Every structure is written in structure tokens, then in C-alpha cells.
Amino acid sequence: MEKLQGKDRIKSMKCALVMDMGAFGVMNSKITFVPPMKMFNETTMTMGQQTMQSYMVTDGVFMEMGMINPDGTRAPMKFSDYDPAQNSMAGSFNMFSDEGVRFTEAADIKADPADPLFQKADGTPLDNLGLVSIKGNQGEQSFEIFVDPTNYHLVAMKMYKEEALFMEMSQIEHQDIGDGIVYPVGYKVHIDTAAMGNPNGPAMDMDMKMSDVVINEEIDDSTFHFTSKAAE
């Protein structure tokens, strides 16, 4: 799918990302991403009248995260070995890549038009319900993706931790982001935090939307520099 949609030609990406979490607030991020896992992410989180800024940077080996002070300087909270399983933002980009993915099973299916996973935002079924289900794993997580064989678009996804379903993605919007590369730029995500290991955690629904996408600009490696290497 990567080659058919041109994703293997992405050498770098810059974008803005809005994550609307309803009652939990809105996150606005500015992201620079170099496959497979280099990323700098600067985020403004708004909850009611409260606003805070944070950042995350990884070179694919180590990761630093922390707050951004009012004067723009960083206040690092953690420096550690990089664990992609704990980095949902980098993971959200990498889930659209074959990097580190092992596919184990594929089958033609007829999706249930009554299942919200296979419906559009207005509640009507997808135009094509004859999908291909592909199962596999990435690290310690297993997944099932659903692909429209007429255009190779990813239309839905389920992700599992052990046997527990913790994430579903649907209503995926694709866009040509340049050079004929088709990429998911909008999607709806449902996360069951209890299934992720937090027994008292709430369920979360998020609407994600990318904009201002720029691909294959030269990215200076200094973008992924660390402020402190004092591990906590």
C-alpha cells in the first residue's frame, strides 16, 4: 500500500495537527517528522480558560519531553530511551507506514453497514463495504486494518494490547499531499484507556485533522536536539 499510494516517497513532513477531544480540550500541534521515527512536536493544550504549552522531541533512539515556558524556553521533565509504544503521536504517523510492521493474515470481508466503524460522519455506510481485512503486529501491539481494494485506502483500524481492543480509527479522509502522495489527513479515534492498562481511565473520542502539510523539505538535524540528558 505504501508504494501504491506513494508514502514510501515521504522523506520528511511538516504539518499542523488539531486534536479535538471534546470535554477534555483541544490540542494544536506543529509537527516535524522524518521517517521512520524522528519527530519534533510543539503542542498548545486548551481546556476551558486554561492553556499550556509542551513539547516532545525524539531522534528515534532517545526522547525528551517537557513544558514550554512563557518566554519560549524549554523546561524538560524527562529524558529516556525512546519507546515508540509510549509515544502515541509518533505512533500515529508510523501506523501509516510499513516500518516495523509484520502482516500475518489477509481476507476479503463484507463490512457491516450498521457498524459505526464502517460509516461516514453522517451515519451512512461507506460507499464500498467489500473490504480487505489485514491483521498483523507492530512491536507488542496487534492490529486489524480494513482497506478498500478499489483504491488501497485505509478506511478503518483496530488496535489491541494483548487481547484487549484499546483503539479504533474510522472516518478516514485521504488527500493528495503533493507529488501524487495520498495520505490520511483526517480521522476519528476512539480510545479505551482502561484496555490500555488504566482501570479507572475514561474512554476518549478524538477528531484529528492535519493541515498545512509540506513534504520532502530538507530538515536540519538540529531540529531534533535535546535540552537536557538528565534522566529521571
Side-chain angles (χ1 to χ4, degrees):
M1 288 190 299
E2 275 212 323
K3 291 184 178 179
L4 288 167
Q5 296 186 0
K7 296 188 184 78
D8 61 323
R9 301 199 303 274
I10 297 176
K11 306 306 178 186
S12 71
M13 179 188 292
K14 291 182 177 180
C15 70
L17 178 68
V18 177
M19 184 187 306
D20 187 342
M21 299 179 290
F24 293 97
V26 177
M27 292 176 63
N28 287 273
S29 297
K30 294 181 179 179
I31 298 169
T32 300
F33 177 63
V34 175
M37 277 297 183
K38 289 185 178 181
M39 176 176 281
F40 177 72
N41 173 28
E42 185 175 292
T43 297
T44 300
M45 176 72 184
T46 304
M47 295 182 64
Q49 300 299 314
Q50 295 184 326
T51 298
M52 61 181 181
Q53 289 185 297
S54 62
Y55 75 95
M56 185 280 297
V57 59
T58 176
D59 61 1
V61 178
F62 298 104
M63 178 176 66
E64 179 183 287
M65 62 180 64
M67 306 305 294
I68 300 175
N69 297 317
D71 62 1
T73 58
R74 297 181 187 178
M77 297 187 296
K78 181 180 180 182
F79 185 92
S80 63
D81 291 345
Y82 175 67
D83 180 359
Q86 300 301 318
N87 184 357
S88 59
M89 184 63 71
S92 68
F93 281 82
N94 211 43
M95 72 172 65
F96 303 125
S97 167
D98 290 342
E99 185 75 25
V101 170
R102 186 171 71 94
F103 298 105
T104 59
E105 181 183 342
D108 295 328
I109 67 162
K110 188 69 173 180
D112 181 358
D115 187 337
L117 195 68
F118 305 110
Q119 293 177 350
K120 303 175 187 177
D122 63 4
T124 60
L126 298 175
D127 294 332
N128 181 23
L129 293 171
L131 306 176
V132 177
S133 163
I134 303 173
K135 296 181 180 180
N137 56 65
Q138 187 173 25
E140 297 180 355
Q141 297 176 347
S142 60
F143 61 82
E144 183 175 15
I145 63 176
F146 301 90
V147 178
D148 185 335
T150 65
N151 53 21
Y152 302 100
H153 286 179
L154 174 69
V155 299
M157 174 185 283
K158 296 181 179 181
M159 294 195 74
Y160 301 84
K161 184 175 182 181
E162 298 177 347
E163 299 298 319
L165 174 65
F166 74 87
M167 190 273 281
E168 292 181 298
M169 181 190 302
S170 61
Q171 298 178 19
I172 302 174
E173 175 189 349
H174 296 80
Q175 180 179 304
D176 187 327
I177 58 174
D179 196 25
I181 299 171
V182 179
Y183 198 85
V185 297
Y187 40 97
K188 183 176 181 178
V189 178
H190 175 79
I191 294 178
D192 183 345
T193 56
M196 295 179 70
N198 182 1
N200 299 315
M204 299 179 65
D205 290 290
M206 299 178 288
D207 288 312
M208 317 275 281
K209 182 68 176 179
M210 292 171 56
S211 62
D212 302 325
V213 181
V214 177
I215 60 168
N216 297 341
E217 270 193 357
E218 190 74 24
I219 306 296
D220 194 298
D221 240 18
S222 64
T223 301
F224 310 104
H225 78 277
F226 301 113
T227 308
S228 168
K229 293 192 177 183
E232 295 184 358

